[in-house]
Amino acid sequence: MSKKLKAAVIGLGVGEQHLIGYLKNSHVEVSAVCDIDEKKLREVSSKYSIAKIFTCWKKLLCEDLDIVSICSYDNYHAVQTCLALENGINCMVEKPIALNRKEAEKILI
């Protein structure tokens, strides 16, 4: 593999573990991280030397990414997954991927 995959993480609670996993993978470059808690965002981005940070997940999902780990609050998983997929970004979504059938069907469309 010549090109590294550009990855990002939304939600830096459990998402910090996703970030660590990406950083250990020589085929992945972590492009950005996102969290609504600015203190947590700055703490984690500084700890792992991630320059691009976002408090708005919509802006992050407009970035040029190959994969995103969605580790935000459960009620955001479906809408974030839909936008990521619409923008051609592969997703790793913490469970649950959706809170109900209607949300799950939107993801499938």
Side-chain angles (χ1 to χ4, degrees):
M1 178 183 260
S2 58
K3 177 187 156 205
K4 286 189 176 190
L5 295 173
K6 291 176 273 179
V9 178
I10 300 174
L12 296 173
V14 70
E16 186 173 357
Q17 297 305 309
H18 289 242
L19 175 59
I20 292 167
Y22 287 139
L23 291 170
K24 289 179 179 179
N25 189 321
S26 63
H27 301 290
V28 176
E29 171 191 333
V30 178
S31 298
V33 291
C34 176
D35 199 283
I36 58 172
D37 180 341
E38 281 194 53
K39 182 180 177 191
K40 178 76 171 174
L41 178 63
R42 296 196 184 287
E43 182 181 292
V44 171
S45 63
S46 175
K47 182 177 179 180
Y48 299 103
S49 302
I50 309 299
K52 224 169 193 186
I53 60 173
F54 294 86
T55 55
C56 176
W57 58 267
K58 289 179 183 177
K59 289 182 181 177
L60 174 108
L61 292 175
C62 290
E63 291 290 301
D64 179 27
L65 298 169
D66 296 303
I67 187 166
V68 64
S69 280
I70 298 176
C71 307
S72 55
Y73 293 118
D74 295 352
N75 58 309
Y76 287 100
H77 289 182
V79 67
Q80 291 171 342
T81 300
C82 286
L83 183 57
L85 293 173
E86 287 170 13
N87 290 338
I89 303 168
N90 295 291
C91 300
M92 175 26 230
V93 186
E94 280 292 322
K95 62 184 179 196
I97 193 168
L99 295 179
N100 54 57
R101 182 181 179 133
K102 186 176 180 181
E103 286 183 352
E105 287 173 346
K106 284 183 182 177
I107 293 169
L108 293 173
I109 295 174

